[in-house]
Structure formats: structure tokens, C-alpha cells
Amino acid sequence: MKLKNLFPMILAGAGIFAMTLGSGCKKENESTDEDFSAEAQDISQSEDISTSIDNMIAEAFISNSGSVDGRSSFPSNSDLSGCVTVTRDTPNSTITIHFDHCVGRNGHMRDGYIIITYSGGNYWTMGAQWDVTFDDFYIDDMAVTGSRHVENMGPESNGCTWNIDANLVFTRSNASVRTWSSTRTREIIEGYGDNNCSNHVYKINGTASHSDRQNDKSDDLTFNDIIRDLDCAYLTSGTITVIRNNSRPQLVIDFGNGDCDDLATVTRNGRTRTIHLDGGRH
């Protein structure tokens, strides 16, 4: 075959190769896009669980403070009222929260025990401290284990800030594990001293490390003015900046402008996507 007859065939082959390569790149980019959205959703839900634990502890302290026999339930205006038993063991400075198939406003079920060992006073007392552990505690089918140390830094005159160090492990039903270690401040900006927790609004700042052994990813996180309104089931504003391992591009998760919904946006390299905080991805 003459060379001039081969030339059109070579061009056609090169075109097919280029189309195949382009298609492969497109699929890879789509896969990466889906991956960063899923990763941001997992991080957001881990933060939501972390703040929800503090919310439940606040309700346990406040609802149990006036009980006569050491047993009470969450207040009637709580989304978990009627399925929680709070037991205060004053001689041992312990409060135990028992969840029995408790479905909250976000549709997730809680079961098991959160155990609080406290000293130095109650929820509103400057200098009061407590340590939190878990016993057979689940959110849906995901086990939550680990520990949490909290200290009330005051001031009591016009509000409180709590310093919180947490190390949590989330184990999915398929035995894959997410870990979460954070150091944060939790400042009450509305509802100070109010025993109706639904009037409380908190602002959260701090840092965390997050890893997911299911996909071998880890991240360093910075929280900037995360707002948790206890009258809402979701984080309502603020951002999480995500520095990802293996030189992957940074993410910024933005929880919005105060609306009570399960939406957030995640931005990577100038491209923004909307994610659902309650997408069933525990």
C-alpha cells in the first residue's frame, strides 16, 4: 500500500483516539465532581452530629436540673420529647441520656446512651466541666463512639462560651469508619440563661481533622462562624474550609444565610455545587 493511501487512515485513527481520550477525561472529571460533593456531604453530616451531641447535652442538663427523683425527659418543645429518659445520679455527678428509637426533626433515629460526668456546677456555671462518653449509641445504623470534654469559660454576666475537645468515631453498618477530632468554641449568641433550649442560638469556631477509611481520604478543617439555631434541625450559616490530603483542591462548604433547610453549597476551584445535608449518607 502506498504511503499516501495510509495517511487518511492514520488521521482517522488519531481522531478516534482523541475522541476516546476526551471521553475518558470527561468521565474522570464527572467522577471527581461526584466524589468532592460526597466528601463535603460526609464532612457536613459529621459536623452536624457533633453539634447535635452538644445540643442534646444542653437539653439534658437543663431539663434535669429541677427534677426531684433524678429522672426526667426532654422538654415538651424538644423534637426528642417523649422518647428520652434523663437520669441524674447526683452522688456520682453523672447524667445519663437514654434514647429509645428517638426520631428527630431531621428524620434520623437515635438509640442508646450518652453519659455525662460533670464537676464544678451546671450548664450555665462558669468553670463547670463535663466529660461525655457513649454506650451502644447509634444514629440510624451508624455507631457513635469516642469522648468529648467540655468546659464553660463564662462569662456568666452576658453569655457563655464553652471550649470543646472531641474525638469521635462513626462506624457504618458495613464496618467502614470515619474519625473526627476537633477543638472548638461554642458561644451562645441568643437565649442565654433561657431554659427553653429552642430559643438558643450558638456560634461555633475552631478546627478539626476528619478521615474516612472507606475511601482513604483525610482532611483538615477550619470552622468559621457556624450557626446552630436549636429551633432548626440544620446548620444555618457559616463555612467550613477543607484542606484535603494528597494535594487535592481545597473545598469551601457554605451553609447559607440563615434559612432553615438541609442545603449547603460546596466550592472547588471556582465551581460550586449544592448538596443536601440530609441525603441519607450516614
Side-chain angles (χ1 to χ4, degrees):
M1 185 180 290
K2 293 182 179 179
L3 184 61
K4 67 179 182 179
N5 293 329
L6 282 173
F7 188 65
M9 297 174 63
I10 293 171
L11 286 177
I16 292 171
F17 176 76
M19 291 173 63
T20 304
L21 182 61
S23 175
C25 289
K26 182 179 180 181
K27 288 181 180 179
E28 181 180 352
N29 287 339
E30 288 173 351
S31 174
T32 303
D33 286 346
E34 177 61 30
D35 178 68
F36 90 75
S37 295
E39 186 176 358
Q41 188 178 55
D42 282 341
I43 290 169
S44 300
Q45 290 185 349
S46 293
E47 169 61 12
D48 178 73
I49 292 170
S50 183
T51 61
S52 292
I53 290 169
D54 289 320
N55 300 343
M56 291 183 285
I57 290 168
E59 289 198 296
F61 264 111
I62 290 170
S63 67
N64 202 251
S65 60
S67 64
V68 177
D69 60 357
R71 294 174 65 87
S72 64
S73 61
F74 277 7
S76 59
N77 55 12
S78 169
D79 66 322
L80 299 177
S81 178
C83 62
V84 176
T85 302
V86 182
T87 303
R88 182 185 291 268
D89 180 356
T90 303
N92 292 306
S93 301
T94 300
I95 297 173
T96 301
I97 316 172
H98 178 208
F99 301 87
D100 184 11
H101 299 316
C102 295
V103 179
R105 284 172 296 194
N106 59 8
H108 294 293
M109 182 179 291
R110 300 160 179 83
D111 277 292
Y113 300 85
I114 294 178
I115 302 161
I116 309 162
T117 304
Y118 60 92
S119 64
N122 62 28
Y123 187 71
W124 300 114
T125 306
M126 182 175 177
Q129 302 183 45
W130 49 91
D131 290 286
V132 180
T133 55
F134 307 88
D135 181 10
D136 203 28
F137 181 67
Y138 282 80
I139 298 178
D140 298 328
D141 58 359
M142 185 180 70
V144 180
T145 56
S147 62
R148 203 171 191 86
H149 178 76
V150 185
E151 183 173 359
N152 185 328
M153 306 303 294
E156 294 181 7
S157 58
N158 59 355
C160 289
T161 297
W162 294 263
N163 286 352
I164 304 169
D165 293 310
N167 293 283
L168 301 175
V169 178
F170 308 119
T171 304
R172 303 181 182 96
S173 58
N174 65 2
S176 64
V177 171
R178 298 204 312 260
T179 61
W180 179 270
S181 298
S182 66
T183 299
R184 65 182 59 213
T185 60
R186 176 177 162 102
E187 177 188 359
I188 190 164
I189 57 175
E190 291 183 29
Y192 169 68
D194 193 333
N195 286 344
N196 181 353
C197 287
S198 63
N199 292 330
H200 293 185
V201 180
Y202 294 91
K203 181 169 65 176
I204 298 158
N205 286 281
T207 59
S209 60
H210 178 269
S211 68
D212 191 338
R213 296 176 194 169
Q214 180 169 256
N215 51 31
D216 195 29
K217 289 182 170 62
S218 61
D219 311 282
D220 292 317
L221 316 175
T222 301
F223 313 114
N224 183 39
D225 290 347
I226 300 290
I227 299 299
R228 188 60 187 262
D229 182 343
L230 269 60
D231 196 35
C232 177
Y234 307 104
L235 305 171
T236 56
S237 65
T239 61
I240 300 176
T241 301
V242 183
I243 305 299
R244 306 155 86 202
N245 68 348
N246 297 332
S247 301
R248 294 176 298 143
Q250 171 182 295
L251 306 179
V252 176
I253 305 168
D254 190 329
F255 295 100
N257 59 5
D259 292 337
C260 181
D261 56 40
D262 79 329
L263 300 177
T265 61
V266 54
T267 302
R268 185 197 68 174
N269 287 340
R271 184 176 181 181
T272 298
R273 302 191 111 187
T274 299
I275 60 173
H276 286 270
L277 304 178
D278 239 350
R281 281 188 50 84
H282 282 166

